[in-house]
Structures are given as structure tokens and as C-alpha cells.
Amino acid sequence: MTVYNFAAGPATLPDPVIKQIQEELPSLQGSGMSILEISHRSQMFDNIINTAKQDIKDLMHVPDNYHILFFQGGGTGQFAAVPMNLATNHHRIALLDSGHWATRAGDEAANLGVKVDVLDSTKDQHYQELPHMPHAISADNYDYLHITTNNTIEGTAYHQLPEHGNVTLVGDLSSNFMAEEYRVEDFGLIFGGVQKNLGPAGVTVVIVRDDLVKHVDHIPSILNYELFIKKNSMFNTPPVFAIYATGLVLKWLKQQGGIAGIEALNQKKSSLLYDFLDESKLFHNNIKKSDRSLTNIPFKTDDPDLDKQVIAAADQAGLKNLKGHRSVGGLRASLYNAMPLAGVSALVDFLHHFEKQH
Amino acid sequence: MTVYNFAAGPATLPDPVIKQIQEELPSLQGSGMSILEISHRSQMFDNIINTAKQDIKDLMHVPDNYHILFFQGGGTGQFAAVPMNLATNHHRIALLDSGHWATRAGDEAANLGVKVDVLDSTKDQHYQELPHMPHAISADNYDYLHITTNNTIEGTAYHQLPEHGNVTLVGDLSSNFMAEEYRVEDFGLIFGGVQKNLGPAGVTVVIVRDDLVKHVDHIPSILNYELFIKKNSMFNTPPVFAIYATGLVLKWLKQQGGIAGIEALNQKKSSLLYDFLDESKLFHNNIKKSDRSLTNIPFKTDDPDLDKQVIAAADQAGLKNLKGHRSVGGLRASLYNAMPLAGVSALVDFLHHFEKQH
């Protein structure tokens, strides 16, 4: 049975990448050593990390005045690192509360002593649409504006960035990182854990504009941008395997036509499911159409028990991990880069069949 | 050609573990999903992380009042986490300066605002012997005493722990973690990156006594012990693959007779090399005999150019990564748990042959 994995992350990876990892596992590049065993100070790893950086630069058209860094600790680590490194002038940031992960980012910054102004929130709308800028803001007041470009749990995404005047924009791109095109120049800083669209859990990419990185004392070294820039992300032992695996996915992404190519596929995949849901009399997605995510699609029937039946029957049919996040309920299909169109077709066929039987 | 990898870490792993990872890669436990793709919220991963915890508990005889946690960020992350979580009463710690990594731990704590008293240092002896406690200390003055049980670069190890009175002992065990027996009860906290004796880079084990963990505000969540205890090390997405791979090494370690079994082998391996070096007229190890490490053995000739020749010729013979750390020079053989006796024999034979030719 073909298995399709709709998990919200860690998530499905391209088959050819899994195959390549498997083939290269006992001996990387004929070295007689596994990627799990090589030193991060070796020429082999130097090539791996620098190639991965170059491929990110190529794929996202990263300008020369931005650094590309690899951290451990996930998006949650960056919820701390970004304010510690960047909120050093006003100690005050602005935030658009678009859901769970935006809230978490704001809470972490506040806990570290930064004043967080939530400019708009769609909590009262159950985050089924995106918050927008209620008024102009200025760099005279804020170190940056934090947004979550794609809301993994709620299923919304900014396809147009909010107006942010001269305020530095910080984007948590984790769940649509390289799944949809953004202009790096529009951001002062971008971060994303790779475990959704780009690789296994264990590494987070940070892309930061050079002039924003200042010397900051009294913060943990593993969250210090200046140190990581100086040491090419190898201030301490980096997560060698996760960077290697991400590098393979980046090569695969180039073969798919880069981000433009994969975005076109992601549009097709998500439209297939949204079109079905919008026609269905049983299932529905409640997200405002212009704000719908390409990568995370929550949906439900009106009956929580029936939702459970659908999830169980889908699991039996090889359609895995469709349970929605507990805060939203129902089902959620995550259609990240490596989910093939065939997987979405199989899901839609299954849902269609279930609805007819019902 | 058989390749033996003497790297100081990331380092050689057991062949059967590499083989098992390779076999299980496309489909873990018949799930149709790779370990790189499964959710950390899945039952499969829950079993993996809990089994790894239990195996650490079994192998190290961890008492019930200690927590076993998995962090990202390596030993360097813990250099920050330990003072942030534990140095909350006196904001003052004691440290024995046994080398590079002890210094780094002290610097990180000091940078985070903790007063660090270096009670003894063997820097003037080029760290070729261990520092010892110059006088009794008391918990009335110090939150803890930090030691590095094994000094990866300098090649020393505490086989007997220093007297520490009623002061909590914190041990950075990274480079002899589960390579040599210690009593967990002697420590308040132990940490170790797994990338030397236990797995691939990307996960760090922390073992901490329950009463030491307090609620601490204003520190990054990814370094917060209380949060990680509450969430079974899954406050955020953990490094799934690195924990899985470590779990396989733990099972392998049990098959080797546990830590007592591997320590006996490590004694045998290191004695083989030390005995050769002590007899050799060309090569020598300058570490005080009672302080010699089982896992990291630096040695050299009296001629840096000749050292380079040895390293190059050894590399050609499949004996890899013997270059010493730049601060010490010469050569270094790291003989971690997964290095077989045959690898050390091959190295000794090579050095013996080189010496005769010379």
C-alpha cells in the first residue's frame, strides 16, 4: 500500500532524497565514513554546509548583504534569539497575532523582557482570517514587526506582506519556507525550521540582513548571531546530518523548478483539496479564501465523532496523520513541498468516496 | 581498505547501528514512513524517546529522583543552560580549569552574569595534569562546582572525582559519557553531547536531580529545564533522528556489557596505545599517568614536520583524522566506545612500523 503522510511536521520528504541518504549512509563520497561520523571540521562537511548556503541563496535570491545561518533549537529557539539579537534599541516590538505560533513568539519575547505590542489579533475570529496593520508604524518606536507568514495550526498565510513602513520585518516562515515565493529584501530577518518543507527536524535556517547584526553581550552563545556569522554556523558542533539532509532536499527543490516551480505545484495541490471542500456537503474549510494556506489545510464535518471516523478510515487507507491540532479539532492535511499531487488526489478521492457512502 | 576514524567528534559509530539505520530508513517499523518523516507526537516516537530514556537509566543506574532530558545546542548550549537554571541562589559557581572546554564553560557562565571562581588551574602545566581542589568549599557560597570529567583536547580525565563537600557537582561528561563509569549520585547534574560516544551530532543528554530544578523566568525556553521536564523533552520539536540513532547506540552498548563492559574494552584499547607510546623512542604522550584519558590520547614526535608526515601517511593507510587540536599540535587518537580494538591495533602497528622506518 502506498502511504501518504499528511503530518504537520516533521513531515514527508522526497523519495529520491531518502533513497540517496540510504545509499550514501555507510560511506559518504567513498570516504569509508558515514555522514553520521564525519567531523564538522572536515573538508567534506565544509563543502556540504557551503553548498547548502549557496543553494538557499540561489533558490531564494538572497542578496549579498544577508547572512545565511544554521541553528539548533527550532523556531522556538529563534523566538528567543530574534529579540535577544535585534530588540536592542527600543526593546519594543510589534506583532500581528495570527495564531498559536505568533502568540508563542510574542510570549517568548515578553518573557525575555521585551515590550510586545500586539497591533491586531484575529483571535476572536478563531484565527480564520489574518490580522492586518491597523495604522502606520515607525522605526522610531519599534525594533521590528514580527509576523508568522503561514499559520500551521489555523491554516492561513500572508500571500501579500502587511505594510510595515520603515520598520524591520521579521518573518517566521517555518511552515511555508520555500513553499511559496517571498522577496527576501522585504524582510530584515527570516527564519524557518526545516522540518516541514526542507528536511528532518534538528536545524533552523536564519537569513538576516548584515546591518541588523550587532554585538550583543550576556546572551547564550548558541543564540548569538554575531558569533554564528563569524564561525560560519560552526561556533560549536552543528547538526551535521540535518544540514546534509537539508542540502539534498535543496538540490531536489532546484530540480522541481525552484520555489516558483514548487509554488505552482503547491497551488495545484491545495486547489484540488480546497475545490473539493468548497463543493462538499459534508466537509468544510472555514478560512477566509484570500488568506488560505497552501501548505496546511484544516477541515471538518459538523460532527466531531464523524471526524474521528474519517481519520481512522483514512489511516487504514494509507492516508496518515490527518488529525487536526487539538486547538482546532477536525482534520488537517499538510501539503508540504514533498507531498506529491498523487497524494492529494488520493485524499480527495477518499473523502469523496467517504461522503458518498455516508 | 578498512577505514578507522579517530576523529574527536562527531566520531565513529558502531557498524551494526549504521546498518540498522540504513535498513530502517525507508520505512520505520513497517509504517511506510522514514524516521526522518514521522511526527514527534506519534506513538512510534513516544516509544523511541521513552525507550532511550529507560536505556540511559539502566546503563547509568540513574536514581529515580533524577530527570533524563534531551536538548539541542550541544555542550555549548548547556554551558548557558546550567548557570541559567542552577546558579540562581548565590549567582556564584566554582570551577576547576582543566582545559579548553572548562574555560569555555566558565566564560559562558561569566558572560551570563554569574560570578565564576576558578579554584585551581593547570594552564601553566599546559593542562598536562588535572587541577585539584585547593581547599574545602561550601554550599553556603556556591551554587555548584563545574568540572569537565574528560578533556577532549588535552587528553586528561578525572577517574576519581574531586572532593566537593556539600556543593552540588556539575559534570560535563561529553567526551567520556558512558565510556567510563561514574556514579550519577555523585553529581547534581550531568550533561553530554552524544556525538562522541553515543550518536550523531544534534542532541545533548542532561541528567539532573529533581530538587535542583526551580522555576526560572526570563530565560530562553529551549534552555529551560522545568519546561523540558514538564513536556518530556518535547516542549518544541525535538531532534527526532538524532534521538532515534542514539537509542540504537544505547541498545548496542547494552550488548557490549553496558558501561562496565565498554570501560574494560576502553581500558584495553587505551593501554595498548599508551604502552606503545611509553616504550617508543619517537612518539610520546606527556600527560601525567594517573590523569590520562581513556578516550582522547594526544601524542607527538619532537618535530612538527614529522608529525605532519605521520598524519598524512596514516591517512593513506586508512587511519583517519589523527591531527591533533591546533592548541596542542601533534597527533590525537580518539578511542571512543565504537572504536574497535582492531582499530587501535592497526594504529599501533602503523606507528611501530613508521618508527622502525624512520
Side-chain angles (χ1 to χ4, degrees):
Chain A
M1 181 173 70
T2 305
V3 162
Y4 292 109
N5 175 13
F6 294 93
T12 194
L13 290 173
D15 285 340
V17 167
I18 300 286
K19 197 152 173 270
Q20 186 175 351
I21 294 172
Q22 191 183 26
E23 284 169 3
E24 294 183 342
L25 199 59
S27 176
L28 185 68
Q29 298 167 20
S31 66
M33 293 176 277
S34 165
I35 180 65
L36 306 175
E37 302 171 301
I38 66 164
S39 171
H40 59 294
R41 304 290 180 205
S42 64
Q43 189 59 53
M44 265 194 299
F45 185 68
D46 226 44
N47 291 342
I48 287 170
I49 195 167
N50 288 328
T51 302
K53 277 172 66 175
Q54 186 60 50
D55 285 338
I56 292 171
K57 194 170 158 83
D58 296 346
L59 283 160
M60 296 189 74
H61 313 292
V62 179
D64 287 339
N65 61 328
Y66 284 73
H67 300 281
I68 299 169
L69 305 171
F70 300 96
F71 284 88
Q72 295 185 64
T76 302
Q78 293 310 310
F79 292 168
V82 179
M84 281 178 154
N85 285 276
L86 263 53
T88 56
N89 187 14
H90 304 294
H91 307 284
R92 186 187 197 101
I93 65 171
L95 183 135
L96 289 176
D97 174 25
S98 55
H100 177 83
W101 293 108
T103 305
R104 283 271 292 264
D107 288 349
E108 185 84 5
N111 185 47
L112 294 168
V114 171
K115 178 85 176 69
V116 180
D117 286 359
V118 177
L119 301 183
D120 189 21
S121 170
T122 46
K123 190 174 183 184
D124 291 345
Q125 291 78 43
H126 309 287
Y127 297 121
Q128 290 173 355
E129 58 187 272
L130 290 166
H132 290 285
M133 294 297 284
H135 51 73
I137 57 174
S138 160
D140 294 341
N141 303 312
Y142 292 113
D143 286 313
Y144 59 85
L145 166 68
H146 178 105
I147 64 164
T148 311
T149 54
N150 186 86
N151 297 281
T152 323
I153 293 174
E154 297 82 3
T156 57
Y158 286 102
H159 306 298
Q160 306 288 330
L161 297 176
E163 280 298 323
H164 52 98
N166 65 349
V167 176
T168 297
L169 184 64
V170 167
D172 173 3
L173 269 67
S174 296
S175 52
N176 67 350
F177 195 31
M178 301 203 207
E180 144 166 32
E181 288 198 286
Y182 289 101
R183 280 166 39 95
V184 174
E185 298 89 318
D186 290 336
F187 297 88
L189 184 144
I190 281 171
F191 66 88
V194 305
Q195 73 275 9
K196 294 169 192 294
N197 286 292
L198 289 174
V203 67
T204 303
V205 177
V206 172
I207 303 172
V208 59
R209 208 174 63 224
D210 190 56
D211 64 285
L212 296 173
V213 179
K214 305 231 155 48
H215 177 75
V216 183
D217 271 323
H218 315 310
I219 70 171
S221 296
I222 61 159
L223 299 174
N224 187 316
Y225 294 151
E226 189 192 34
L227 284 180
F228 270 59
I229 290 168
K230 272 191 195 155
K231 299 288 187 176
N232 194 25
S233 299
M234 291 183 277
F235 176 74
N236 66 333
T237 312
V240 172
F241 175 79
I243 293 172
Y244 154 81
T246 301
L248 299 185
V249 178
L250 292 167
K251 291 290 182 204
W252 172 86
L253 189 50
K254 283 186 159 181
Q255 290 162 8
Q256 313 310 305
I259 303 179
I262 209 79
E263 179 175 340
L265 177 64
N266 290 340
Q267 287 282 4
K268 205 166 170 181
K269 281 152 51 183
S270 57
S271 294
L272 188 60
L273 181 53
Y274 282 125
D275 288 350
F276 165 78
L277 294 170
D278 290 345
E279 292 290 318
S280 171
K281 292 189 168 60
L282 183 63
F283 300 103
H284 46 86
N285 165 281
N286 294 324
I287 304 300
K288 183 178 169 186
K289 289 197 180 177
S290 61
D291 293 347
R292 283 172 165 180
S293 167
L294 300 186
T295 47
N296 304 97
I297 305 183
F299 57 98
K300 54 173 73 169
T301 68
D302 291 319
D303 174 359
D305 286 332
L306 189 60
D307 288 343
K308 278 182 199 156
Q309 285 176 42
V310 182
I311 293 161
D315 185 81
Q316 288 296 311
L319 306 168
K320 301 288 181 184
N321 296 316
L322 283 164
K323 192 175 169 206
H325 189 271
R326 62 187 178 281
S327 65
V328 172
L331 295 86
R332 172 176 50 173
S334 293
L335 312 181
Y336 296 127
N337 285 351
M339 173 59 66
L341 186 60
V344 189
S345 291
L347 173 61
V348 168
D349 288 349
F350 170 86
L351 295 172
H352 184 70
H353 187 75
F354 189 96
E355 182 169 355
K356 280 206 299 185
Q357 297 281 328
H358 183 69
Chain B
M1 181 173 71
T2 305
V3 163
Y4 294 109
N5 175 13
F6 294 94
T12 193
L13 290 172
D15 284 340
V17 168
I18 301 285
K19 197 152 174 273
Q20 187 175 351
I21 294 171
Q22 191 183 26
E23 284 170 3
E24 294 183 342
L25 199 59
S27 176
L28 185 68
Q29 298 167 20
S31 67
M33 293 176 278
S34 165
I35 180 65
L36 306 175
E37 302 171 302
I38 65 164
S39 170
H40 59 294
R41 304 289 179 205
S42 64
Q43 189 60 52
M44 263 194 300
F45 185 68
D46 226 45
N47 291 342
I48 287 169
I49 195 168
N50 288 328
T51 302
K53 277 172 66 175
Q54 186 61 49
D55 286 338
I56 292 171
K57 195 170 158 84
D58 295 347
L59 282 160
M60 295 189 75
H61 312 293
V62 180
D64 287 339
N65 61 327
Y66 284 74
H67 300 282
I68 299 169
L69 305 171
F70 300 96
F71 284 87
Q72 294 185 65
T76 302
Q78 293 310 311
F79 293 167
V82 179
M84 282 177 153
N85 285 276
L86 263 53
T88 55
N89 187 13
H90 304 295
H91 307 283
R92 186 186 198 100
I93 66 170
L95 184 135
L96 289 175
D97 174 24
S98 55
H100 178 83
W101 293 108
T103 305
R104 284 271 293 265
D107 289 350
E108 185 84 5
N111 185 47
L112 294 168
V114 171
K115 178 85 177 70
V116 180
D117 286 357
V118 177
L119 301 183
D120 189 20
S121 170
T122 46
K123 189 174 183 184
D124 291 345
Q125 292 77 43
H126 309 286
Y127 298 121
Q128 290 173 355
E129 58 186 273
L130 290 167
H132 291 284
M133 295 297 283
H135 52 72
I137 57 175
S138 160
D140 294 341
N141 302 312
Y142 293 112
D143 285 313
Y144 59 85
L145 166 67
H146 178 105
I147 64 164
T148 311
T149 55
N150 186 86
N151 297 282
T152 322
I153 293 174
E154 298 81 3
T156 57
Y158 285 101
H159 306 298
Q160 306 288 331
L161 296 176
E163 280 299 323
H164 52 96
N166 65 348
V167 176
T168 298
L169 185 64
V170 167
D172 172 3
L173 269 67
S174 296
S175 51
N176 67 350
F177 195 31
M178 300 203 209
E180 145 166 30
E181 287 198 286
Y182 290 101
R183 281 166 39 96
V184 174
E185 298 89 320
D186 290 336
F187 296 88
L189 184 144
I190 282 170
F191 66 88
V194 304
Q195 74 275 8
K196 294 170 192 293
N197 286 293
L198 289 174
V203 66
T204 303
V205 177
V206 172
I207 303 172
V208 59
R209 210 175 61 223
D210 189 55
D211 63 287
L212 296 173
V213 180
K214 307 229 154 46
H215 177 74
V216 182
D217 271 323
H218 316 310
I219 70 171
S221 297
I222 61 159
L223 299 174
N224 186 317
Y225 294 152
E226 189 191 33
L227 284 180
F228 270 59
I229 289 169
K230 271 189 195 155
K231 298 287 187 174
N232 194 24
S233 299
M234 290 183 279
F235 176 74
N236 66 334
T237 312
V240 172
F241 175 79
I243 293 172
Y244 154 81
T246 301
L248 299 185
V249 178
L250 292 168
K251 291 290 183 204
W252 172 87
L253 190 50
K254 283 186 160 181
Q255 290 161 8
Q256 313 310 305
I259 302 179
I262 209 79
E263 179 175 339
L265 178 64
N266 290 340
Q267 288 281 4
K268 205 166 168 180
K269 281 152 52 183
S270 57
S271 293
L272 188 60
L273 181 53
Y274 282 126
D275 288 349
F276 165 78
L277 294 170
D278 290 344
E279 292 289 319
S280 171
K281 292 191 169 59
L282 184 63
F283 300 102
H284 44 87
N285 164 281
N286 293 325
I287 304 300
K288 183 179 171 187
K289 290 197 178 177
S290 61
D291 293 347
R292 283 173 165 178
S293 166
L294 301 186
T295 47
N296 303 97
I297 305 184
F299 57 99
K300 54 173 74 171
T301 69
D302 291 318
D303 175 359
D305 286 332
L306 190 59
D307 288 344
K308 279 182 198 154
Q309 285 177 42
V310 183
I311 294 161
D315 186 83
Q316 288 297 311
L319 306 168
K320 301 289 181 185
N321 296 315
L322 283 164
K323 194 176 168 206
H325 190 271
R326 63 185 177 281
S327 64
V328 172
L331 294 87
R332 172 176 50 175
S334 292
L335 313 182
Y336 296 128
N337 286 351
M339 172 60 65
L341 186 60
V344 189
S345 291
L347 173 61
V348 168
D349 289 348
F350 171 86
L351 295 171
H352 184 70
H353 187 72
F354 189 96
E355 182 169 353
K356 280 207 297 185
Q357 297 282 326
H358 184 68

